[in-house]
Amino acid sequence: MIRSVMVMNTQGKPRLAKFYDFQTVEKQQELIRSVFGVLCSRAENVSNFLDAASIFGPDSSLVYKHYATLYFVLVFDSSENELAMLDLIQVFVETLDKCFKNVCELDIVFNYSKIHTILDEMIFGGQVLETSSTELVKAVEEISRLESASNSITLVPKSVSGWRNR
Amino acid sequence: MASTTSSIMDTLFQRTLEDLIKGLRLQIIGESAFISKALDEIRREIKSTDSHTKSNALQKLSYLSSLHHFDMSWAAFHVVEVMSSSRFSHKKIGYHAASLSFSDSTPVLLLITNQLRKDLTNPNNEFEVSLALECLSRIATTDLCRDLTPEIFTLLSSTKIFVRKKAIALVLRVFEKYPDAVKVCFKRLVENLDSTDPHIVSAVVGVFCELTSNDPKSYLPLAPEFYRILVDSKNNWVLIKMLKIFAKLVLLEPRLAKRIVEPVCEHMRRTGAKSLMFECVRTVVSSLSDYEEAVKLAVVKIRELLLDDDPNLKYLGLNALSIVAPKHLWAVLENKEVVIKWLSDEDPNIKRESLRLVMAMVSENNVVEICRVLVNYALKSDPEFCNEILGSILSTCSRNLYEIVNDFDWYVSLLGEMSRILHCQQGDEIENQLIDICMRVRDVRPELVRVGRDLLIDPALLSNHFLYRILSAAAWVSGEYVEFSRNPFELIEALLQPRTNLLPPSIRAIYIQSAFKVLIFCLHSYLLQRESTASSYPDTSALSELASKREMPEGSDSATFKAPSHSEQDEVFNPRVSNQSFEELSVGNGGDRTISHGQTSTPVTSENSFTYEAVVNHLNLIELALGPLTGSHDVEILERVRNLLCFIELIKGEVLESLVQKEENLNSAEMKSSKIIKLMSDAFSEELGPVSVSAQERVPIPEGLVLKENLNDLEMICGDIQLPSSISFSLVSNHYEEGVGASLPDLQSKEELEPPSEATSLLAEHRKRHGLYYLSSEKNDIVANDYPPANDPKLRDNQNNDTEDLVKLTEQLLVSKKRPNQAKPRPVVVKLDGDVVPVSAKRPGPKDDSLSGAVQEVLLGSDTRTSTSRSNPSDKSSSKRKGKEKLITDPSFELNDNLGDAEKLDHENPSSRRSKHRTHGKERRHKSPGKIREEREENGQKEKKKSSHRHARHKTRQRADVPLNVVSETPVIPDFLL
C-alpha cells in the first residue's frame, strides 16, 4: 500500500502532497519537512531508497527520484516492491510529460487540479490501479474535456439569467 | 438585486486558482500576509450563492490547504454543498476538497451519504461514479461503508472496467471499516480473480495482497486461484503481488512451498524485469529458504545485483543477502569480498547494509581480522558511519557475554584504540564494557590497567567530552587494580593533572577516589619496603600477606615467580638486592603478567618508586592539586577531597618524622600512621565484585528477625537502597567509600572530619533505623569494626562464585580456546541490562498485531456481528453457500482427506489441540454455520466438536489468539495444491 506521494522542489517547497491516511495539516507539514531534510542531504548517484521508519513509523520505505528541480517521493509499506515503485515514479513523470509536453516545475505549480487528476487515476486509495501512461493520458484527457464542457455550459446561462433579472 | 450584483461581480472579477498562484509567486507583501488576505477573500466568496464562485473559492482553499498547510476543516459544509453541485467540474472540486480535508470526526459526513449514493449509481457518467469512489477510498467511515455496501457490491460487477477496478480497490477500505461487508462482497471479489481484463485482475490481486499481509491464514483456501495466476499471468505487477501473497502463505503451509518453488524459480530465470526478479529472490530467501536449489539460484541472482552499477540494485542485493544470512551464511561468505568492498561505497545505505553483512560473518575465528578491517574503515569514514561501525563492533563482540572474544587482551586494547578514534561517540558502551570485562575476566586486568593508564595519561583526551565516560572507567580500573600498575606514582600524577578540571564533577570524583586508592597502595608498599630494608631480608610474612590479599587463583604462580627472581638477584649480590626484588614483587603482586610483559622496564621504574622523596613529593602534589577543591560545590568531589586531604594530614607528620629519624626509631614509627595505612590498604584491596541480583537471598536470616512483617511497610525504602547499590559500579564504590569515611572518624580526629562525614553520619543514622535491611552491619561490626562496607558480605558471598566462574572462564579461554560462556551461569553473577533486554524485546509481537492486524479483526469481527444482527440468515447464507460450494468443488479440493489430517494432527499435538479448542469456542460464537467463505472446510469438523468442547468457550482476545490459531489451523487448510 502506498502511504503518500509527494513532489517537492529542491528548496523543499511542496508541489504536490497526497496522503492516503488522514493527516492533519500540521502533521503533513512536518512530514514533508522531515522528508526534505533527509533528501537534501543525499548525494547524487546514490541509491534511491530510504528507510522511512523514523518519519512514517514502522514498516515504511521511501523511494525518491530527482528530476531537474524536483524530487518525486513515494512512501509505501512492505506490500510494495521497491523497484516497482521506482518504475511508478517513472510512469508518473512520463504521464506528466505527455500531458504537458516537456513538463517542468512550472507546469506542476500551475496545474494543481490536473496533477491531482493524473495521480488519482494512477493510485487509488493507496493502491496502484493504472501503470500505463497512455491509458492515464486517455482518462485524464477525457476528464478534462468533461470538466471544461460542464464549465462552458455553466457560464453562459448564468450570465444571461443574471442580466435578465436585472 | 444587490446580492445578484455582487455575485456577478464575484464571478467576473474573482481570482481564479491560477491568479492566486501567480499572485503568490509575485507577491511583495510577504507570503503569509498574502495568503491571509487570500483566505479572507475565500471566506467571503465561499459563502456566495453562485456555485461557480463558491467552487472556485473552494478550489483555492484546497490548494492552500494542500500545499501551504492551512486548515480547511471550517469549510466542511461548503465542501458538501459543492459536492452536490450538478456540474461535473464543481463536483470534482468538491470531492477533491472532501478527500483532502475530511476525517472520521468530520460532523458533516452524515450529510453526504445520499449524495454519494446518487453519484455511485449514476448510470450516465462513469467519471462521477469514479469521483465518488475515489473520495470514499479516503474518507469512508463505518457508517458510510454500511450504508453504501449495496451500491459498491453492484459496482463490483459493473461492465465498465474504469469503474469496476476502482470499486474493487475500494473494497479494501470497506472491509476494514465495516467487516460485515465481507459476507456481501467477498464472493464477487473472488470472482473477479477470474476476469479476463488485466486491470481488474491487477486490482483484485492488489486487494488480496493487502488483506493477506494482515491476516494470511484466512486466505489460504484461495491458494489454488492464486497459484493459477502465479503460473499464468504475464503482468509483472500482478506477479509481484502474487509473490508477496505467497511469501506469507508459504510460512503457514509448508506444502504450498513445494508447489510454488518451481514457478517462482522459473520466473526468476526468465524475467527481464529487475523488479520481478528481485521479488522472486526475496520470496525465495525469506520464505523458501529450505529449498537448496532455489536458494542457490537466488544467490546467483543476488550476485548479479551486487555487481551491478546501479546503486539501487546493489543496495537491494545486499538487502536480500542479509535476509538470507542467518540461514545460509555461505551465501554471504561467497560474496565476502564484494560486501567488504562496498563498505567504502559513497552511498550510506549500501555502506550500512554491507556493515550489517560483515557483522553477520563475524565468528570467533575471524573476529580479530574483521575488527581490524572495520576499525580501519572507521578511521576513514564520516562521523556518523564511523560510529555505526564502532557501535556494531561493540554490540557484536559483547553479544552473549563476549561469546566470540577469545583473546580479551586483544579486545581490551581494541576498546582503548576505539576510544581514541576521533569521532568516537560510544563512550557509554565502551565504559560499560570496560567495567564489565574487568569484573568478569580476571586475567585481563593487567592489560586493562595498562590500557587505562594510556588513556588517563594523555592530556589531549580530556578535552573530548565523548570520552569522559571511558576515562571514568579507566580511572576506576586503575584505582581498583593499582597493584597491576607498573608505575603507581605516574597514575597519581595522571589522575590529578590540571586538565582534569575539564571533567564533570561526577567523573572527577571518581578520579579523586582512584587517586586515593593509588596513594594508599603506594604508601603501603613503601612501608613494607621500609620494613624489609630494616630487617635486612624481605619480610616473607609481609609478602605473603600481600600476595594473599586477593585470593588469587594463580597464587602459586606468583610463588614460583618469586623463587627465580630471588635467585637471580642473589647472584648479583647487590646491596639493594633484597629491596629491589621485593619491590618487584609488591608491584607485580599477583599480577605476574605485568612483570612478564615488561621484564626489562619494571625494575627500572620500581627502583624509582616508593622512595622517600617520591612519597613526600606525591603527598605534596596531592595536597597542592586538591587544596583548591575543598571549596568545591559538588558534594561528591568535596567529600572525596576532604577524605583524602584529611588522610594525608593524618599520616604526613609521622611519615616525615619517622623518616628523619630513620632506623633508630623504627619501632616507634611502627605506629599509628602505618597501622592506618595498613588498614586502609586492607580495605581497598578487598575486591569489589559484581553483585548478584539474588545476593540478598543468600544471606542467612539472623535469628529472631521477622522479615515479612515489616517488609510491606518499608518496601519503598528498601527499594531505594537496593537499586542503586546493585546497578552501577560507581555507586557501589560510593558506598564503599562512605563506609571508609565512617571508619576514619572512628579511629581518630573526629572533629577534623566533621564536614565530610555529614553524609556518612546520615547514612549511619539511616542504617541504625533500618538496620535489618542492611545486609551486613551486624556481622561486620563484630568482625571488622573499622571497615563496614555496606554490602561487603554480599560481595564476598558472590565474589566466590564469581571467582569460580572466572576461573572456569579463564581456564576455558586459555586451555581449550573454546567459547567461554558454556560453563558460565553468568547472569546470576552479574546483572547486565543487556541480558534482560533481548528477552523482553521479543515481546512487541502482540503490540504489532494489534496495530497491523486490523483486517484480521475485520474478518473475524464480521462474524460476530453477523450472528447477532441477523436472526435468521439461512436464506441468504444458503444461496451464498451454493456459490461457495462452487468454488470449493473446484478440481482439486479434497475436504475429507483434509479433515482426517487435521484430526490426526490434533491428537498428536496436545498444545495445538488446546489452542484449537479456543478457536472453536470463538468461532462458534462468531459464525453462523456455513456462512463464512474461508472456513467452510472446517465447518463439518467444527460442528462435530461443538458438543464435545462446550467448556472451551474462552472468549479470548482475538488478536492475541491469532498466532496460536495460525499454528493450529494450518493443517486444516486444504491440500488442493498437493
Side-chain angles (χ1 to χ4, degrees), chain B residues 197-222:
Chain B
D197 188 284
H199 287 104
I200 300 297
V201 175
S202 157
V204 187
V205 169
V207 171
F208 275 115
C209 181
E210 295 294 332
L211 291 171
T212 312
S213 75
N214 288 321
D215 173 26
K217 81 173 160 58
S218 307
Y219 303 94
L220 264 177
L222 288 171

Side-chain angles (χ1 to χ4, degrees), chain B residues 221-271:
Chain B
L222 288 171
E225 305 284 324
F226 293 154
Y227 181 76
R228 190 178 49 72
I229 297 174
L230 179 71
V231 176
D232 294 346
S233 178
K234 297 277 175 286
N235 182 332
N236 287 342
W237 282 84
V238 170
L239 286 174
I240 286 173
K241 292 282 180 184
M242 269 305 118
L243 288 167
K244 296 256 183 210
I245 292 176
F246 275 112
K248 298 272 186 205
L249 295 187
V250 160
L251 296 177
L252 302 180
E253 177 51 279
R255 289 172 293 179
L256 212 50
K258 215 157 62 183
R259 266 319 267 271
I260 68 157
V261 145
E262 221 3 79
V264 170
C265 290
E266 195 54 34
H267 282 306
M268 202 184 330
R269 270 184 226 112
R270 270 215 213 132
T271 183

Side-chain angles (χ1 to χ4, degrees), chain B residues 21-42:
Chain B
I21 297 171
K22 272 184 191 151
L24 206 51
R25 292 171 65 82
L26 299 172
Q27 46 81 18
I28 40 168
I29 54 172
E31 191 177 279
S32 59
F34 183 86
I35 289 179
S36 67
K37 236 174 98 188
L39 276 173
D40 286 343
E41 232 170 64
I42 290 169

Side-chain angles (χ1 to χ4, degrees), chain A residues 1 42 47-49 78-82 86 106 112 117 121 127 130-131 150-151 154 158 166, chain B residues 1 25 50 87 89 92 96 162 166 169 199 210 237 241 244 275 279 282 312 315 347 349:
Chain A
M1 180 116 135
R42 288 177 68 84
S47 59
N48 298 99
F49 308 117
S78 62
S79 50
E80 303 291 342
N81 178 293
E82 292 85 345
L86 217 50
L106 276 186
Y112 172 78
T117 312
E121 286 310 310
Q127 295 171 72
E130 183 58 75
T131 53
S150 72
N151 258 342
T154 13
K158 185 85 223 171
R166 195 177 258 194
Chain B
M1 189 70 188
R25 292 171 65 82
D50 175 56
R87 287 180 201 92
S89 59
K92 186 159 175 286
H96 174 69
F162 184 73
K166 291 183 176 176
H199 287 104
E210 295 294 332
W237 282 84
K241 292 282 180 184
K244 296 256 183 210
S275 53
E279 199 56 52
R282 183 154 57 189
N312 290 329
Y315 169 68
D347 188 336
N349 289 342

Side-chain angles (χ1 to χ4, degrees), chain B residues 574-807:
Chain B
N574 185 310
R576 299 189 64 155
V577 143
S578 53
N579 188 357
Q580 195 174 337
S581 74
F582 169 73
E583 279 156 13
E584 221 171 86
L585 275 173
S586 64
V587 169
N589 165 26
D592 32 16
R593 196 169 276 232
T594 324
I595 290 170
S596 58
H597 272 308
Q599 194 63 274
T600 49
S601 64
T602 310
V604 182
T605 50
S606 59
E607 205 164 353
N608 298 335
S609 59
F610 308 134
T611 60
Y612 170 70
E613 291 78 19
V615 169
V616 175
N617 279 345
H618 285 92
L619 286 178
N620 289 333
L621 172 79
I622 293 171
E623 279 185 316
L624 195 69
L626 295 185
L629 286 176
T630 47
S632 167
H633 292 299
D634 189 89
V635 189
E636 296 285 323
I637 294 185
L638 192 65
E639 182 176 343
R640 282 165 175 75
V641 166
R642 293 279 175 120
N643 282 344
L644 184 44
L645 289 179
C646 290
F647 172 77
I648 290 177
E649 203 162 307
L650 201 66
I651 55 151
K652 199 175 177 187
E654 292 188 32
V655 170
L656 293 180
E657 200 182 308
S658 73
L659 284 175
V660 173
Q661 299 160 9
K662 274 236 151 156
E663 319 260 309
E664 315 121 46
N665 230 345
L666 196 74
N667 283 343
S668 65
E670 203 30 85
M671 14 134 234
K672 266 194 289 182
S673 64
S674 55
K675 219 184 274 169
I676 295 168
I677 293 170
K678 209 170 251 166
L679 286 169
M680 293 295 283
S681 159
D682 283 349
F684 279 139
S685 57
E686 185 70 65
E687 188 169 353
L688 280 181
V691 182
S692 155
V693 180
S694 58
Q696 176 145 27
E697 289 157 22
R698 294 196 214 142
V699 180
I701 301 170
E703 258 180 64
L705 191 63
V706 192
L707 281 175
K708 280 177 185 154
E709 217 168 76
N710 289 333
L711 270 181
N712 292 334
D713 310 337
L714 297 169
E715 213 167 19
M716 267 164 27
I717 303 167
C718 191
D720 280 355
I721 298 163
Q722 223 58 47
L723 269 177
S725 72
S726 60
I727 276 178
S728 90
F729 89 93
S730 55
L731 282 171
V732 169
S733 75
N734 283 353
H735 276 227
Y736 198 72
E737 134 90 16
E738 275 153 8
V740 173
S743 72
L744 265 177
D746 279 353
L747 273 173
Q748 49 195 210
S749 55
K750 232 176 184 153
E751 314 85 55
E752 266 179 58
L753 291 172
E754 210 61 290
S757 65
E758 235 169 55
T760 327
S761 67
L762 270 178
L763 186 80
E765 186 94 60
H766 188 265
R767 191 190 190 90
K768 212 184 275 171
R769 243 191 298 159
H770 308 295
L772 59 141
Y773 298 105
Y774 282 85
L775 283 173
S776 47
S777 56
E778 247 183 309
K779 222 186 210 169
N780 256 322
D781 285 346
I782 299 162
V783 178
N785 224 352
D786 303 330
Y787 303 104
N791 34 19
D792 188 33
K794 236 202 290 190
L795 288 176
R796 218 177 267 176
D797 187 20
N798 135 62
Q799 181 193 325
N800 291 342
N801 279 354
D802 189 32
T803 315
E804 279 164 28
D805 291 341
L806 288 170
V807 172

Side-chain angles (χ1 to χ4, degrees), chain A residues 14-32:
Chain A
R15 294 306 184 197
L16 168 75
K18 182 107 187 170
F19 295 87
Y20 292 98
D21 326 293
F22 179 78
Q23 312 280 0
T24 62
V25 281
E26 294 83 16
K27 181 78 182 161
Q28 291 183 12
Q29 186 168 18
E30 185 196 320
L31 291 174
I32 293 173

